[in-house]
Amino acid sequence: MLNKTVEKTISLFFFIGVPFTTIFLMTGSVTDPVNVTKLFALGCVGGGVFAITAIYGFKEVWRTSKVLFIASILFILMAINSIVNSSSPSTQTIYGVFGRQTGFVAYLFLVMVMLGALLLRTKKSFDRMVWALLIAGAINIVYAAWAIAFGDFIGWNNPYGNILGLFGNPNFIGAFLGMFITGSIAFAFSDHFAWKYRFAFIVLGLLALYEIKESHAVQGLVVTGAGLAMIGFYLIRSKTKGWAAVAGYVVAVAVLGVLALAGALQKGPLASIIYKKSVSLRGTYWETGIKMGMDKPWTGVGMDSYGNWYRAFRPDRALIDTPGVGTVTNAAHNVVIDIFAYGGFPLLITYVAILAAGIWAIVKVTLRGRAYDGTFVALATTWLAYQLQSIISINQVGLAIWGWVLIGALVAYEYSTRPQAEVTEKAKVAKQKDLIFSPQLMGGIGVVIGALIAVPPMSADMKWKSALASQNVQKVEEALTPTYLAPRDSARMAQAVILFENSKLYDQAYKYALEGVAFNPDYFDAWRVLYGISKASQQDKENALANMKRLDPKNPDVLAQ
C-alpha cells in the first residue's frame, strides 16, 4: 500500500501548487505576463508531483488505475507522433505558440499532475483539493473586486475594458469564477459545515457572480448555471426517494438547456440574452479545426499548430461572417477539436479515453448511494463545469490544470470509497516500499527538473523584453539567437523584422526576415513581413506572395490584410 507520508506530500503539493499555477503571473519583466509564467509554474508542480509518483507510487497507480495510466501513456506517445510528423518548428510543437504555450510540454506536465492525483486516498487529501480551488478563487475574487472598486493595479494591456482576473482575459476569469461558484456551493452543503460557513460560501458566490457579470463573459454564466444545475441533481436525489422527483428535475433542466443552446444559436426566447457574435465565430473555428484533423487523420497538423493552418482550412463563409478577412485565430475555441487538429484521430481517441475515465468514476460513485457527499459533489461538478468550458473556449494552463488534476482525483476518490473489503483484499498484493529518500526531497528534485524543462519560453520572453527596453541592436540580436533558454518563436521574429525596418536597420530586417521564413515556412506573417521590407528583392516578393497564397488560398487579396 502507499506510504502515508507520500500521500501527504503529494496532497500538499496540490494544495499549494495548483492554486499557485492559477494565480502566478509576472508583469514588467516579460511581454506575456500570463502564459509563459503559468507554464513555468505548471512545470514546477508537475515535475515535483511526478518525481514522487514515479519513485514511490508507480506500482500503486498501475494496480489501481491501469486503464487511465495506459490511456495517458498512449496520449503522450500520440503527441510525440504529432510532433515528429508536423511541418511546424519543433520548438513550437514542444513549447507552444507565443500567447498560448499549450504545446507538448504543457500536456506532458498536465498528465503528470493527473497521475499524481491518482495516489490520493484520504478524505483530508480530497478536501484539500477543494480548499485549494476555493483559495485560488478567493484570491481572484478579491483582486477583481479591487479592480472594479479602485482600478486595476496591474499594468495590463487591456483591450477588453473588462476585469481580467489573474488570467489576463475576461472569458477565462468568467469561466474560472463559474467553476469556483460550483465548487464552493457544492462544498457548502456538506453536513459538517455550520450555517455561518455556508452563508460565507454563498456570499462569496454572489460576489463572484457579480464579477462574472462585470467580465461580460457569457461562458461564465453558462458554466455557473450548468454547475448549479448539477448540484441541484445531487441535492434533490439525496432528499427524495424513488426516481420521480429526480426524473422531473432532469427533464426540466434538459428543457432549459435546449432553450439555452437554441439561444446561443440565435433562436428561441433566450436568444437576446445568450447570443453573442463570438458564438457564430466559434462555429467557424470548430469547423476549421475538424477539417485539419480530417486532412491529416493519423498525425494532425502538430501540437499548438492550429494557427499556422487556420487560413488554409477555414470555410468559405469565414471570409464574410467574421469582422474581416484578416480575422484569424490560433485556437479552435474547443479543446477537444484542438486536440483533434493537433494529432488527428490517435490523439483524439486517447484524450477521449482519459475523459471517459473521469466520467466513469463519477457514474460509479453516484450510483453507490443517494447520500449527499459534499467533497465528491464539489470535485465532480467542478470538473464537469471545466469540461463544459473546454468545449466552448480556448485552453489555458491556469484553467487546464484543474481539468486534469480533478480527473486523477475523481478516479482516486472512486477507488478509495469502494467497499472496504474489496479495497483491503486487493491491497494485500502490494508491499510497502521503504523510504530511502524522503518524498519531500524527491519532490524538490522534481521541481528543479520540471522548472528546467518549462522555463525556456519564460526565459526567452524575459530576454526579449529586456532587449527591447535597452534599445540596443546588439542585445536585440542576442535575444534572437536560439539557445536552450531562448528557443526561437515565429511571432517574435516577425516583430523583430518590423522593429528593425521601422528603425531603418534594413540589413538586419532583411536578415531576420529570411531567417523567419526558413524557421517556419508555414507562418503567414513571416512571409508578409518579408514582402513588405525595403531590401526584399523582386524574387523575394514573388516567393513571399506565392507562399501567402499557399497559406491563404481562399483570400482573393492576401496583401490587403
Side-chain angles (χ1 to χ4, degrees):
M1 292 178 67
L2 187 69
N3 186 283
K4 291 182 179 180
T5 304
V6 172
E7 183 194 354
K8 182 180 179 180
T9 304
I10 289 180
S11 177
L12 288 173
F13 255 99
F14 287 136
F15 182 67
I16 298 170
V18 180
F20 175 70
T21 303
T22 297
I23 66 177
F24 179 54
L25 53 81
M26 293 192 307
T27 58
S29 58
V30 290
T31 62
D32 176 7
V34 176
N35 298 286
V36 294
T37 53
K38 293 188 187 302
L39 177 64
F40 174 72
L42 172 64
C44 294
V45 178
V49 167
F50 187 72
I52 300 170
T53 304
I55 299 298
Y56 300 114
F58 175 79
K59 289 184 179 180
E60 183 74 1
V61 169
W62 176 254
R63 184 175 66 83
T64 62
S65 311
K66 289 185 180 66
V67 173
L68 183 55
F69 178 79
I70 292 171
S72 302
I73 297 301
L74 290 176
F75 178 84
I76 295 301
L77 291 176
M78 293 307 102
I80 294 173
N81 172 63
S82 170
I83 293 173
V84 170
N85 290 283
S86 175
S87 62
S88 298
S90 58
T91 54
Q92 175 179 309
T93 56
I94 291 172
Y95 297 114
V97 297
F98 178 78
R100 291 281 177 255
Q101 310 305 155
T102 48
F104 173 78
V105 165
Y107 282 100
L108 175 65
F109 285 122
L110 289 171
V111 168
M112 288 180 178
V113 297
M114 178 188 69
L115 293 177
L118 291 172
L119 296 179
L120 301 181
R121 290 289 179 268
T122 65
K123 186 178 186 303
K124 184 177 181 179
S125 294
F126 295 113
D127 283 347
R128 272 182 180 160
M129 186 73 73
V130 180
W131 281 113
L133 172 71
L134 301 186
I135 290 170
I139 293 172
N140 270 281
I141 289 171
V142 171
Y143 165 60
W146 182 280
I148 293 170
F150 306 108
D152 204 327
F153 56 83
I154 296 179
W156 296 108
N157 176 18
N158 184 359
Y160 307 100
N162 306 326
I163 61 169
L164 305 177
L166 297 172
F167 296 89
N169 183 289
N171 288 316
F172 295 149
I173 183 59
F176 181 71
L177 290 178
M179 292 164 56
F180 167 82
I181 293 171
T182 299
S184 62
I185 298 301
F187 201 44
F189 282 101
S190 300
D191 291 338
H192 60 278
F193 283 122
W195 271 106
K196 60 181 180 180
Y197 295 109
R198 295 181 182 178
F199 179 75
F201 282 129
I202 292 172
V203 170
L204 277 175
L206 290 174
L207 181 56
L209 188 60
Y210 172 75
E211 292 176 350
I212 291 174
K213 175 180 174 294
E214 290 298 301
S215 74
H216 301 287
V218 171
Q219 64 181 259
L221 296 175
V222 171
V223 169
T224 302
L228 294 179
M230 290 184 286
I231 294 169
F233 166 81
Y234 283 101
L235 283 172
I236 291 175
R237 188 168 174 269
S238 68
K239 302 296 182 182
T240 60
K241 295 182 179 181
W243 292 99
V246 174
Y249 178 81
V250 170
V251 170
V253 169
V255 170
L256 185 60
V258 170
L259 290 175
L261 179 61
L265 299 175
Q266 210 172 1
K267 298 177 182 179
L270 300 181
S272 61
I273 301 173
I274 296 178
Y275 176 76
K276 289 178 68 175
K277 178 63 176 177
S278 60
V279 175
S280 296
L281 300 183
R282 276 170 169 74
T284 298
Y285 302 155
W286 295 354
E287 182 178 342
T288 303
I290 292 171
K291 284 185 176 181
M292 292 181 198
M294 295 300 294
D295 185 72
K296 296 181 181 297
W298 302 113
T299 63
V301 297
M303 301 298 291
D304 222 1
S305 295
Y306 177 100
N308 282 7
W309 297 104
Y310 172 77
R311 290 178 174 87
F313 285 94
R314 60 182 170 179
D316 294 337
R317 71 171 188 277
L319 303 181
I320 57 175
D321 71 353
T322 59
V325 68
T327 300
V328 295
T329 179
N330 56 13
H333 292 69
N334 180 305
V335 175
V336 177
I337 294 176
D338 264 333
I339 292 292
F340 182 46
Y342 293 171
F345 284 105
L347 194 65
L348 174 66
I349 291 170
T350 53
Y351 181 66
V352 171
I354 291 171
L355 298 184
I359 294 172
W360 183 236
I362 292 174
V363 170
K364 291 179 73 174
V365 176
T366 300
L367 293 178
R368 277 188 197 145
R370 299 177 72 109
Y372 187 86
D373 181 343
T375 302
F376 165 71
V377 176
L379 295 173
T381 56
T382 302
W383 182 71
L384 291 170
Y386 167 77
Q387 295 307 324
L388 175 61
Q389 181 274 338
S390 75
I391 64 173
I392 58 176
S393 189
I394 295 168
N395 210 5
Q396 207 260 14
V397 168
L399 285 172
I401 189 170
W402 293 103
W404 286 77
V405 76
L406 288 177
I407 295 178
L410 285 166
V411 173
Y413 194 92
E414 186 280 320
Y415 174 79
S416 65
T417 56
R418 289 177 186 175
Q420 191 60 38
E422 177 185 352
V423 175
T424 303
E425 183 64 29
K426 291 185 177 180
K428 291 178 181 177
V429 180
K431 293 182 179 180
Q432 180 107 348
K433 185 171 183 177
D434 293 331
L435 302 184
I436 300 175
F437 301 103
S438 72
Q440 295 89 341
L441 174 62
M442 299 311 302
I445 294 172
V447 167
V448 174
I449 295 173
L452 290 173
I453 295 172
V455 76
M458 187 172 74
S459 171
D461 199 17
M462 294 174 70
K463 191 174 183 180
W464 178 242
K465 180 67 179 285
S466 176
L468 292 178
S470 72
Q471 298 185 339
N472 183 297
V473 175
Q474 183 179 353
K475 287 189 176 181
V476 171
E477 291 196 88
E478 287 176 359
L480 293 172
T481 302
T483 65
Y484 175 74
L485 289 176
R488 273 193 162 165
D489 175 83
S490 296
R492 190 178 299 123
M493 294 191 72
Q495 182 186 354
V497 173
I498 297 171
L499 175 67
F500 287 133
E501 182 73 12
N502 291 340
S503 301
K504 298 183 180 181
L505 299 170
Y506 303 122
D507 289 337
Q508 286 91 339
Y510 185 59
K511 172 187 175 181
Y512 289 104
L514 292 179
E515 289 189 16
V517 297
F519 172 68
N520 190 356
D522 297 327
Y523 185 60
F524 183 91
D525 286 346
W527 295 106
R528 181 161 58 184
V529 296
L530 174 62
Y531 185 93
I533 61 176
S534 303
K535 292 203 69 173
S537 66
Q538 185 60 34
Q539 183 177 356
D540 289 328
K541 289 182 179 291
E542 290 174 0
N543 190 27
L545 184 60
N547 276 282
M548 283 190 280
K549 289 181 177 179
R550 170 180 67 88
L551 295 170
D552 197 0
K554 296 175 182 177
N555 186 352
D557 187 3
V558 293
L559 298 177
Q561 299 187 52

